[in-house]
Amino acid sequence: MPKGKKLFLLTTSLFAVLMLLLAGCGGNNTASSSSNQTINYAPGDEPQTLDPAKATGLPDATIINAAFEGLTRYDKSGNPSPGIATSWDISPDKLTYTFHLRSDAKWSNGDPVTAQNFVDGWLRALDPATASEYAYQLYYIKGAEAYNEKKGDASGVAVKAVDDHTLQVQLTAPAPQFLGLTSFQTLMPIDGQVVKAHADWAASATNYVGDGPFKMVSWVPHQEIKMVKNPYYWDAANVKLDNLNFITVEDDNTQYTMFKNGQLNFEYNVPLAQVAQLKAGNNPDFKIMPEAATYFYRFNVTKKPLNDPRVRQALALAINREQIVTDVTKAQQTPAFAFVPPGFNDANGSDFRQNGGDYFKEDVAQAQKLLAEAGYPGGKGFPALSILYNSGANHQEVAEAIQAMWQKNLNINVTLHNEEWQAYLNDMSKLNYDVARAGWMPDYMYPMTFMDMFVTGGGNNETGWSNPDYDALIQKAKTSDAGTPAAFADMHQAEKILMTQMPITPIYFYTQPVLIKPELKDVIIPPFGVQAEFRWAYVGK
Amino acid sequence: MERDEAAIAMEADAQRKVIDQTLFQPLTVPEFAGEDTGRPAVGYWSDVWRRLRKHKLAMTGLALIAVITVMAVVGPYLSGHGYAQQNLSLTNVRPNASYWFGTDNLGRDLFTRVWDGGRISLLIGLLTSVICLAIGVFYGGISGFAGGRVDNVMMRLLEVLYSIPFMLYVLLFMVTLGPGLKTILIALGITYWMDMARVVRGQVLSLKEQEYVLAARGLGAGTWRILTRHLIPNTMGPIIVTATLLVPQAIFTEAFLSFLGLGVSAPMASWGVLASNGIDSLSVYPWQLFFPALFISLTMLAFNFLGDGLRDALDPRLRK
Amino acid sequence: MVKYLLTRLLSMVAALWVIITLTFFMMHIIPGGPFATERKLPPEILANVEAHYHLNEPVWKQYADYLGSLVHGDLGPSYKYFGRTVNGIIRDGFPVSATLGALALSFALLVGLATGIVSALRHNGWQDYLAMVLSTFGFSVPNFIVAGLLMYVFAYWLGWLPAAMWGTPQQAVMPALALAALPTAIIARLMRSNMLEVLQQDYMRTARSKGLSERAVVWRHALRNAVTPIVTYLGPLVASVFTGSFVVETIFGIPGLGRYYVSSISDRDYTVILGVTIFYAAFLMFMNFLVDLAYVILDPRVKLVDRKEL
């Protein structure tokens, strides 16, 4: 048979065989569950790990939060409510916490949940051999930092199981954020026997045992993690969802199409191009949720002319933030005139940001005056500045808008410098930039998570800024004033210094546009910590 | 065949020693005259042009390229808007009288941006093609012609280079040379010359054995002459086709890099950048994708028609 | 012949070693690392984590250790996805990419070859022009646009096909088409170009004057010779299609190997970068070897070894 014909037949049959093969190995389709109490949710990324001791990302935290339960769990009013712990006592000096655990809590394999499980979990997170990046979240506990840094022993860590249902912890200093942290993934308990028997228990669904409302049944990386109601959960009677599926497709335009198609009924990341028209169209699926995070620009204060605070203030005052959130980012963000976003409780229970207020006001005339005072009247002689940003989201558009604003309002020359994520992180930490875009999310719900970034030499400072008054205030808030209302006053004062000296300028407070079908009820989308809480969720009509 | 040749050579050698050399006088004929063709030199290139003119599609392609190039040069000045000029109250506007292609999400005129992008895309495509042509033909030509061990080594080396993840050296360059146009050109050039070298080598391997090489060899032509006079003009066809196809490849890869955020820096934008931005808003503002994609397609069409015409025009066997 | 195979094998191993070394050291020159995060870790924790993955050891030692485990077939753990190994990632991802690639490839070959042949046989006819224009659209649109358009039309607008993910034939249609668009066009044009050249050849005239039917002339003589340069293109084509297109797999949510190729670099997941590169390189070399063998079969004038060595 002539070669050409052979080739033809070969490829035709190959094609046919492949199609048959595919038809045969169907399966693993999108969540095809018979029950209508099903949520198909796209967290936006494949989790890096589902090991509670090692997880750091938001998708990871969200999924772990469904499969596990810690001492507490954040409820819809944003407060830590009883989880495995029914109640807790805090000693008058605020250093000793005693948690009383419920007696009917069970793991998804039937084992009972005991206080020892918590000790095991916390010690494992602190164990240097585990190499957990979030071990420092436990440093509030006496002896924890020493153990993690190999300067102490596990027995020196002040957490112990008094009996099967009582857990006692001792802190190094009062820390109001500690109670909230007990709902955090790093502080989850583990089923000691399972973890000891299988080193890779967290890598697949086979041995993945959790004490939370849902139980993992399958995990196909970059496709889907399927969960069903955990029958052994202590409150299983009140968990209304039958199926909870995390669809880990990564492209957000694709997720959007899947949402429109009905393959998803909840999507965390809405493509930016769709946001404006979804909002304008009053689409019932579209919701904009507040987020306790800040979008800001860093100034490299070691470089002239950014070493002059007047120059930095001028740059900050010459930005029209309202225009950026209305015309560029378009997701109802709040223009920011301070660093700590709304959502944090202040000493008297009201909002920290509300009490602190705004620390500056946009004023082009004032900006020009400051620039002239600094020696650059009308922008003359001012060197070209470059704005560093990482590719993605709309950082480019924001940078372009600010570039145009500075050019128009201050008559200075600005260039844009776009880098890939790792290169961007590297340059920023090496102070290899003039102005750099940045964002910050809280680790816990206490303003210190924002305020202690800019201490002298702090790892997250990355501006070269150093102010002894600021350092002193932060130190005081963490030690002598810890646990008292004075700590909040210290933080307010520190923020004032930060916003006067302006090593950074805040631009806006983030929001999170999401798409969620209205029939999904009681899904909590908190401003931090996890993307969504499904414990109380159900599908209504 | 080998051994017979050797035997004949030996015999001839032996015979030569018997006949008296002084009876023979060498002809004073220019060294390579024997392999000149008898026809008057029409001029290879004028013949090519003549044949090209007859190819309708190719001439359409050429005309399109000319028009697009002219627009790329002149277009940005026609609309009265700057390519970086933002108007935040007029974002995502449909094409109308003052914004002929509409505006983008920062209120910038798309007509100006498309033509400015055209400059960049065309530059990238053409320069890359030229670079790859030069390197690839040289490498592939020598490799194929030399054959044997040299070919083996050169091809193994090629494979090694080919299998290094493309993005790695793009990133490496971005870091050492700084991002931007120059780095993209270098990265693209270094990636695509290998395809060219492979094609050339393949052609040379087949052609090497063909008759006219033997003939030229028999007439005493040296290696260099064989390369330039015979091999290269006869391999031209696939090379020109490959070079023409390289232009869109380069433009695409640049679009892919832009898709990953590694393209030219804002506010400059190539067609690739504009297209990948446009894809995101396809369901809401389709004109933002339509125009850059349209011009990418037209440019590719143009280059391909031209390439086809050139292929026909350059085929020496089609000489009339 | 055996000698040829042995030397070929040896050179492949040598080439692989060069690739491993080159990639390994290049990776470490680029800034950043797998544990460079936006939220800076306390230095002791960072040091501990890096020690856990041996990243604090001198580069030479890391390299030697890597080669050592490579000999045992162990490509190491992933630095980004804790709990997964590179071997596991390849084992899970490659069959998916391969299936997708095979689909795209067969489509490209079938449609491309057929189009090229028809085009050449009806040179300058309307079929020729139509085919050329269609094939030009095939590669004048970057594949992420093709993918986006396909998804918009068939999933978003018409709702005929599922938007993403992998497993059923319906889910394979759009990604395979998006992946096949460019190769189909290139094969069609190359085939046409080659066929046209071949059809002008003298031996075609000879075959016709021998009294052979036009069909026999085309199938038996023209095709075989026209296909040869396509075989050159096949090597790199198969390799790049099979290991997946990052764009197509990301857009359609397909859990294949292609997406790892690029994401591992931005994640600085060193072991995955190396593992996928080595795998890809070995595959490519094998493909090229097959291509060279195919060349010999198809074109009797080509010798693999230079005559002097016979």
Side-chain angles (χ1 to χ4, degrees), chain C residues 97-219:
Chain C
S97 291
T99 313
L100 178 62
L103 280 173
L105 189 67
S106 13
F107 181 86
L109 277 175
L110 273 175
V111 176
L113 287 175
T115 313
I117 294 171
V118 165
S119 213
L121 290 178
R122 304 274 175 273
H123 186 42
N124 288 330
W126 65 268
Q127 297 99 323
D128 187 14
Y129 285 144
L130 179 66
M132 270 186 8
V133 168
L134 281 180
S135 71
T136 307
F137 283 127
F139 67 76
S140 68
V141 186
N143 66 352
F144 64 86
I145 296 186
V146 175
L149 282 172
L150 282 174
M151 189 183 304
Y152 176 70
V153 172
F154 293 104
Y156 184 98
W157 184 33
L158 294 171
W160 289 350
L161 291 170
M165 294 169 71
W166 183 254
T168 63
Q170 299 99 304
Q171 288 170 321
V173 172
M174 290 195 291
L177 278 179
L179 207 51
L182 181 61
T184 311
I186 293 186
I187 291 178
R189 301 188 73 74
L190 260 183
M191 190 62 188
R192 175 183 175 278
S193 159
N194 295 331
M195 274 291 276
L196 282 176
E197 270 189 52
V198 156
L199 286 172
Q200 324 260 13
Q201 296 282 345
D202 289 339
Y203 56 79
M204 293 300 298
R205 220 180 297 161
T206 315
R208 285 198 197 95
S209 62
K210 273 204 289 185
L212 282 175
S213 71
E214 190 64 21
R215 164 172 277 192
V217 163
V218 168
W219 284 120

Side-chain angles (χ1 to χ4, degrees), chain A residues 48 222-223 254 443 460, chain C residues 39-40 48 80 251 253 260:
Chain A
Q48 222 183 323
H222 303 285
Q223 280 285 272
T254 308
D443 279 334
N460 292 304
Chain C
R39 186 177 303 271
K40 293 288 169 286
N48 188 26
K80 165 144 191 206
I251 291 180
Y260 274 108

Side-chain angles (χ1 to χ4, degrees), chain B residues 14-69:
Chain B
Q15 284 198 341
R16 218 178 287 134
K17 292 195 176 101
V18 171
I19 301 174
D20 186 3
Q21 293 282 336
T22 55
L23 293 176
F24 291 89
Q25 251 187 342
L27 283 171
T28 50
V29 159
E31 201 185 309
F32 301 124
E35 71 131 5
D36 272 352
T37 52
R39 272 230 224 100
V42 163
Y44 189 57
W45 300 106
S46 66
D47 184 56
V48 164
W49 173 243
R50 193 172 50 87
R51 280 147 64 185
L52 189 64
R53 274 212 320 266
K54 292 200 194 143
H55 196 288
K56 275 178 293 180
L57 273 182
M59 294 316 286
T60 318
L62 196 58
L64 255 178
I65 292 175
V67 168
I68 291 180
T69 313

Side-chain angles (χ1 to χ4, degrees), chain C residues 17-291:
Chain C
W17 177 80
V18 172
I19 291 172
I20 297 171
T21 310
L22 214 59
T23 315
F24 190 93
F25 289 104
M26 263 216 263
M27 263 173 6
H28 285 270
I29 294 177
I30 301 171
F35 301 107
T37 51
E38 181 167 32
R39 186 177 303 271
K40 293 288 169 286
L41 299 175
E44 297 85 10
I45 291 193
L46 186 62
N48 188 26
V49 169
E50 293 196 332
H52 192 252
Y53 289 97
H54 305 288
L55 287 173
N56 56 346
E57 290 169 10
V59 184
W60 292 105
K61 179 154 193 303
Q62 291 184 47
Y63 173 66
D65 288 340
Y66 185 77
L67 282 183
S69 58
L70 197 61
V71 167
H72 291 114
D74 175 15
L75 289 167
S78 162
Y79 287 170
K80 165 144 191 206
Y81 297 104
F82 309 142
R84 302 192 66 203
T85 60
V86 181
N87 291 41
I89 288 175
I90 295 180
R91 203 183 340 117
D92 291 337
F94 182 66
V96 175
S97 291
T99 313
L100 178 62
L103 280 173
L105 189 67
S106 13
F107 181 86
L109 277 175
L110 273 175
V111 176
L113 287 175
T115 313
I117 294 171
V118 165
S119 213
L121 290 178
R122 304 274 175 273
H123 186 42
N124 288 330
W126 65 268
Q127 297 99 323
D128 187 14
Y129 285 144
L130 179 66
M132 270 186 8
V133 168
L134 281 180
S135 71
T136 307
F137 283 127
F139 67 76
S140 68
V141 186
N143 66 352
F144 64 86
I145 296 186
V146 175
L149 282 172
L150 282 174
M151 189 183 304
Y152 176 70
V153 172
F154 293 104
Y156 184 98
W157 184 33
L158 294 171
W160 289 350
L161 291 170
M165 294 169 71
W166 183 254
T168 63
Q170 299 99 304
Q171 288 170 321
V173 172
M174 290 195 291
L177 278 179
L179 207 51
L182 181 61
T184 311
I186 293 186
I187 291 178
R189 301 188 73 74
L190 260 183
M191 190 62 188
R192 175 183 175 278
S193 159
N194 295 331
M195 274 291 276
L196 282 176
E197 270 189 52
V198 156
L199 286 172
Q200 324 260 13
Q201 296 282 345
D202 289 339
Y203 56 79
M204 293 300 298
R205 220 180 297 161
T206 315
R208 285 198 197 95
S209 62
K210 273 204 289 185
L212 282 175
S213 71
E214 190 64 21
R215 164 172 277 192
V217 163
V218 168
W219 284 120
R220 218 182 291 169
H221 293 281
L223 262 183
R224 183 183 172 137
N225 290 294
V227 149
T228 311
I230 307 253
V231 174
T232 322
Y233 178 66
L234 265 185
L237 164 69
V238 166
S240 70
V241 162
F242 268 73
T243 50
S245 158
F246 167 63
V247 162
V248 170
E249 288 185 9
T250 307
I251 291 180
F252 290 105
I254 296 175
L257 208 52
R259 58 164 304 288
Y260 274 108
Y261 199 55
V262 180
S263 69
S264 62
I265 293 174
S266 44
D267 292 333
R268 303 292 195 277
D269 195 344
Y270 295 143
T271 40
V272 174
I273 298 175
L274 275 168
V276 174
T277 308
I278 292 170
F279 184 75
Y280 181 65
F283 191 74
L284 179 63
M285 277 190 237
F286 182 65
M287 279 289 125
N288 288 332
F289 178 60
L290 287 181
V291 163

Side-chain angles (χ1 to χ4, degrees), chain A residues 80-81 135 149 174 191 243 283 323 358 374 388 393 423:
Chain A
S81 69
E149 292 179 7
D191 185 338
N243 299 295
N283 191 310
Q323 197 171 37
D358 294 342
L388 170 68

Side-chain angles (χ1 to χ4, degrees), chain B residues 67-79 83 100-101 109-122 269 271 274 295 298-299:
Chain B
V67 168
I68 291 180
T69 313
V70 165
M71 283 307 288
V73 170
V74 169
Y77 301 114
L78 287 179
S79 65
Y83 78 95
W100 300 331
F101 285 178
D109 177 32
L110 274 176
F111 181 84
T112 314
R113 282 178 74 72
V114 163
W115 293 118
D116 208 76
R119 289 182 188 176
I120 296 173
S121 293
L122 285 174
W271 281 336
L274 292 173
F295 289 107
L298 283 180
T299 310

